[in-house]
Amino acid sequence: MSRTFARIAAAAAGLALAVTAASATTASAAPAAGNAVIHESNALFQQAAQAGIVAVPLPAATAGYDPSTGLSASFPVTDGTGSLAEFWGSIQFGGGLLFVDARTGSAVAFHQLAFSSDSYQVTGVPDGATTPVALFAPAGETVVTRTGATQNLSAASLALDPAGAQYLDGKLRTSFFTAGQSVGSFTVSYTPAS
């Protein structure tokens, strides 16, 4: 075997080993996990229903109902980085939110939902657009805890962001939404990718 051929064979074997190691490392990494839950209070649910407005979670989000706390929408965590306690990074959620105004016949859906730890906003990208809209912001008493690698946030109140209120009113041709309007409460439990 010539020296040149031996060097080429050794380099090829080294490259193959590096690619195999990199793919094994990538394959063994655990993805981000967890969920976020938006609880819509009974008070807002009743006010919205009287105004002909309903908000519905879209797959892969799931809906729930509890007579004492109202409606809920649970969104799976699909990706995330950062620290809730240190106010940096963001968490991405699967599924979407559909808002419908039965009186005007208008609707708007949001996907690419995310929670930004630094701006403390829940954002969503309206279908057909590329720019996220700030929809909600945790308000009132907010508690952040950590259990091992899992980070948790619990906000006693969730307020409608001014940008979200303006966007929803415009798209649904209504005047129902107002900045700071109490939506309900908000919780997040997430484990960053490892």
Side-chain angles (χ1 to χ4, degrees):
M1 180 184 300
S2 72
R3 284 188 174 163
T4 303
F5 182 77
R7 286 182 186 152
I8 293 171
L15 180 60
L17 183 60
V19 168
T20 302
S23 65
T25 301
T26 302
S28 66
N35 73 328
V37 179
I38 295 174
H39 291 278
E40 180 184 11
S41 69
N42 276 325
L44 180 66
F45 173 68
Q46 291 167 2
Q47 292 168 3
Q50 289 172 355
I53 294 171
V54 64
V56 180
L58 299 173
T62 56
Y65 177 73
D66 181 308
S68 61
T69 59
L71 294 173
S72 65
S74 181
F75 303 90
V77 169
T78 58
D79 199 6
T81 59
S83 170
L84 293 171
E86 296 170 3
F87 306 106
W88 68 274
S90 66
I91 307 166
Q92 289 77 47
F93 308 124
L97 266 177
L98 172 67
F99 292 85
V100 177
D101 186 332
R103 292 185 178 173
T104 65
S106 303
V108 61
F110 296 88
H111 285 88
Q112 300 176 43
L113 299 173
F115 176 69
S116 171
S117 298
D118 51 358
S119 67
Y120 253 53
Q121 292 175 321
V122 176
T123 62
V125 177
D127 287 359
T130 56
T131 304
V133 173
L135 296 171
F136 310 109
E141 183 181 351
T142 302
V143 177
V144 175
T145 60
R146 184 179 212 131
T147 305
T150 302
Q151 302 177 40
N152 305 288
L153 178 143
S154 177
S157 181
L158 186 66
L160 191 59
D161 189 273
Q166 182 179 13
Y167 190 89
L168 288 167
D169 273 346
K171 286 294 182 180
L172 299 181
R173 301 193 310 269
T174 183
S175 58
F176 175 76
F177 299 99
T178 58
Q181 187 173 25
S182 178
V183 173
S185 62
F186 180 62
T187 60
V188 176
S189 177
Y190 109 103
T191 305
S194 61

